[in-house]
Amino acid sequence: IHMAARYGNASGGLDLSTPEGRQRWAIACIQINDQFPRNPLPSAGMPTKEKRLHFAAEQLASWELTNWVNPYMSLARLLYMFTVVPNLGPQFADAAARLKERFPKYLRLDFESVFNFTAFQVTWWEAHASEILENPDAALTNRRTWLENTTIPIETFDAYLEKLSTTLEAIPGAFDALDASNDFHEILPFRRRPLLRIDTDGIAVLCPQLLAEKGGIDLLWVLTHDPGGSKEAAFWTDDFGLLYEGYVRAVFSGLGTSAGGRYISDIPWQLSDKLAGQIDGLLHAERCLAVIEVKGSLIRQRVKTRGTAEQLSNELKRKFVSDGPKHKGVRQLSHAIQWLHRERKENRRVQDVDLREVDLILPVLIVADRALRFPGMSAWFDDEMRAMVGGASMPWRIGVLTICGLEDLENLEQESLAGRTTFMKALAQYNFKSPN
């Protein structure tokens, strides 16, 4: 669509008014996209760890689009974060309130209206998806008639479209603002605005995957300034991270005995006067102890779509590994394991857990960013963790680091509540199978 908008009309070679024209341009863009690797081919002697990131840098954006989210799960999760998680405590309620306050500022609409419009669009597309192969226009909506049986004013819908839709004429400028006019991997303008205004009233879904993402966490990206906007003093991601941690805590607390062990949240640790923190959760079952860290950090879209292997490595280390004023996920896990080791040596229990009876530590990083579930990424993080933790001196075996996404967490929640497995059994099985 970007190529069509930039070059098609000028050359007379584009006709978006026909299904055949749209299909030809889609095929051409896919073929072009496949011919532009961003990194030189890895050398035969490149270490496996570096090859993993090289592969991720090339394929991450495509993998996200082809392994897209269940929009109904995403919608339910986001609504739960805004309506149920605030009940867990004042800090969660304050975070949700601050996020809701940003919606009128950025969209001139309240959170509920934006959520409902997005849910309507997702449901409409899903309801008509089966017809699209025969009729590509089946999922089109009409701005004037789409809401005619509701009490929603058209002006309210127009305010929504102003932020989440684009036109063919506006697409080249959106890419120019990112300095990405000649990059065939970039999709950020479409991720920001997944709806296309094809005329005064007609609205098309640019890409169902991107619309599905807008049904979940990605909807909150509308609370960010566009390129060239003023620098924000407080990012919405800070408040989202808090709600995300509360959501994970609610899942584990709701499992009860179905988790397969005793769940303990918010355990403070301290290795020195300057080195202290908090373990987000422990899950203890017999001689096994899962150490859980929750991270709501998100990889920048520019790095996913246009980043080199080196840029991706720097981004992952900065947000999930490196040290600093705020310890990152993998380093927090490493410090937590080292602290547990010290507590065991000094014969101290942690929340009534006798650490001398523990033989296996299972580190778990629960992440909001689906990109971290890319094949091979967990092995890269595991290498980083082992370089920090000093496992040779430990009195227990440290299992493989598990990267657990939101879909993983919710699937395991359902399996555990149904009695088919437990969260702890799934972790142990993953650890056992990890060499393969």
Side-chain angles (χ1 to χ4, degrees):
I1 295 292
H2 172 208
M3 294 295 294
R6 184 171 296 278
Y7 305 115
N9 281 341
S11 65
L14 168 67
D15 184 4
L16 278 184
S17 66
T18 67
E20 293 79 10
R22 290 192 286 275
Q23 185 181 46
R24 281 198 301 273
W25 270 102
I27 293 172
C29 290
I30 290 170
Q31 291 172 337
I32 290 171
N33 185 72
D34 289 342
Q35 304 305 315
F36 285 86
R38 293 186 298 284
N39 296 274
L41 292 175
S43 63
M46 180 182 287
T48 300
K49 181 178 179 180
E50 293 181 26
K51 285 182 179 178
R52 290 189 182 113
L53 283 192
H54 181 103
F55 181 52
E58 289 293 335
Q59 298 295 328
L60 196 52
S62 299
W63 178 85
E64 275 198 298
L65 289 176
T66 53
N67 293 274
W68 50 308
V69 300
N70 179 324
Y72 300 120
M73 294 290 286
S74 297
L75 287 162
R77 182 190 308 130
L78 184 64
L79 197 59
Y80 189 94
M81 285 185 186
F82 274 88
T83 58
V84 179
V85 172
N87 298 327
L88 297 179
Q91 70 273 35
F92 301 108
D94 291 345
R98 285 191 295 267
L99 284 173
K100 284 189 173 183
E101 287 170 2
R102 295 173 74 104
F103 276 86
K105 175 182 176 182
Y106 283 80
L107 284 88
R108 297 187 293 115
L109 294 171
D110 56 28
F111 164 75
E112 287 75 13
S113 296
V114 177
F115 179 87
N116 289 338
F117 278 134
T118 306
F120 289 166
Q121 283 283 352
V122 169
T123 304
W124 181 272
W125 192 92
E126 287 278 338
H128 295 84
S130 60
E131 308 169 37
I132 291 176
L133 286 178
E134 291 75 28
N135 175 18
D137 295 335
L140 290 181
T141 55
N142 185 290
R143 166 180 161 271
R144 292 191 176 276
T145 62
W146 190 54
L147 298 172
E148 62 183 2
N149 294 322
T150 75
T151 58
I152 301 172
I154 193 170
E155 294 78 16
T156 306
F157 188 40
D158 285 345
Y160 175 82
L161 291 175
E162 183 181 333
K163 185 66 178 181
L164 289 173
S165 70
T166 187
T167 63
L168 199 64
E169 294 76 21
I171 289 172
F175 279 85
D176 289 342
L178 296 174
D179 191 26
S181 59
N182 293 318
D183 194 302
F184 304 108
H185 297 271
E186 183 58 78
I187 57 170
L188 184 55
F190 299 146
R191 182 165 253 123
R192 285 184 172 140
R193 296 172 178 269
L195 302 175
L196 178 67
R197 301 287 295 269
I198 59 175
D199 53 35
T200 303
D201 295 318
I203 303 160
V205 175
L206 272 171
C207 181
Q209 292 94 322
L210 302 184
L211 180 62
E213 290 176 1
K214 276 288 182 285
I217 293 167
D218 194 63
L219 179 63
L220 300 179
W221 283 110
V222 299
L223 306 180
T224 304
H225 282 292
D226 287 339
S230 60
K231 188 174 182 180
E232 297 180 41
F235 291 101
W236 64 264
T237 48
D238 295 337
D239 286 324
F240 162 71
L242 193 57
L243 290 184
Y244 176 67
E245 290 178 18
Y247 176 75
V248 173
R249 182 193 299 183
V251 170
F252 277 108
S253 298
L255 281 174
T257 57
S258 297
R262 183 166 72 100
Y263 174 67
I264 311 161
S265 64
D266 302 334
I267 303 98
W269 58 263
Q270 185 167 0
L271 286 172
S272 67
D273 292 340
K274 296 183 178 180
L275 192 56
Q278 178 177 283
I279 301 173
D280 289 332
L282 294 175
L283 189 58
H284 178 231
E286 298 179 346
R287 305 189 73 86
C288 182
L289 183 67
V291 182
I292 301 168
E293 181 64 32
V294 180
K295 297 309 291 183
S297 300
L298 303 166
I299 301 173
R300 288 175 298 159
Q301 190 61 39
R302 183 187 182 111
V303 174
K304 292 180 185 179
T305 55
R306 285 190 277 156
T308 63
E310 181 180 5
Q311 290 169 333
L312 178 60
S313 175
N314 292 338
E315 179 85 348
L316 295 176
K317 289 179 179 178
R318 184 173 66 87
K319 293 192 172 181
F320 300 97
V321 178
S322 65
D323 209 351
K326 290 184 178 181
H327 303 299
K328 307 303 181 182
V330 175
R331 191 169 294 273
Q332 285 174 299
L333 279 173
S334 302
H335 288 327
I337 293 171
Q338 290 166 345
W339 175 76
L340 290 168
H341 179 203
R342 192 186 70 180
E343 296 300 284
R344 172 174 169 148
K345 285 176 64 177
E346 297 180 4
N347 199 25
R348 286 197 287 261
R349 289 173 174 253
V350 173
Q351 296 284 337
D352 204 34
V353 176
D354 187 348
L355 298 173
R356 295 170 302 176
E357 299 297 318
V358 174
D359 297 328
L360 175 63
I361 294 284
L362 292 175
V364 183
L365 189 62
I366 300 181
V367 296
D369 197 323
R370 301 178 68 251
L372 272 64
R373 294 293 286 109
F374 184 81
M377 197 78 83
S378 58
W380 184 88
F381 278 104
D382 187 67
D383 289 342
E384 291 288 324
M385 182 197 70
R386 293 185 187 281
M388 297 180 204
V389 80
S393 62
M394 292 289 169
W396 39 46
R397 185 165 62 87
I398 300 175
V400 66
L401 172 60
T402 301
I403 302 291
C404 182
L406 281 173
E407 290 95 340
D408 301 316
L409 178 67
E410 290 159 352
N411 288 338
L412 287 173
E413 177 190 25
Q414 294 177 33
E415 292 292 298
S416 298
L417 291 174
R420 289 185 286 269
T421 187
T422 66
F423 194 87
M424 185 59 92
K425 283 182 181 178
L427 289 178
Q429 184 181 39
Y430 180 77
N431 174 65
F432 178 74
K433 292 182 175 182
S434 63
N436 297 319

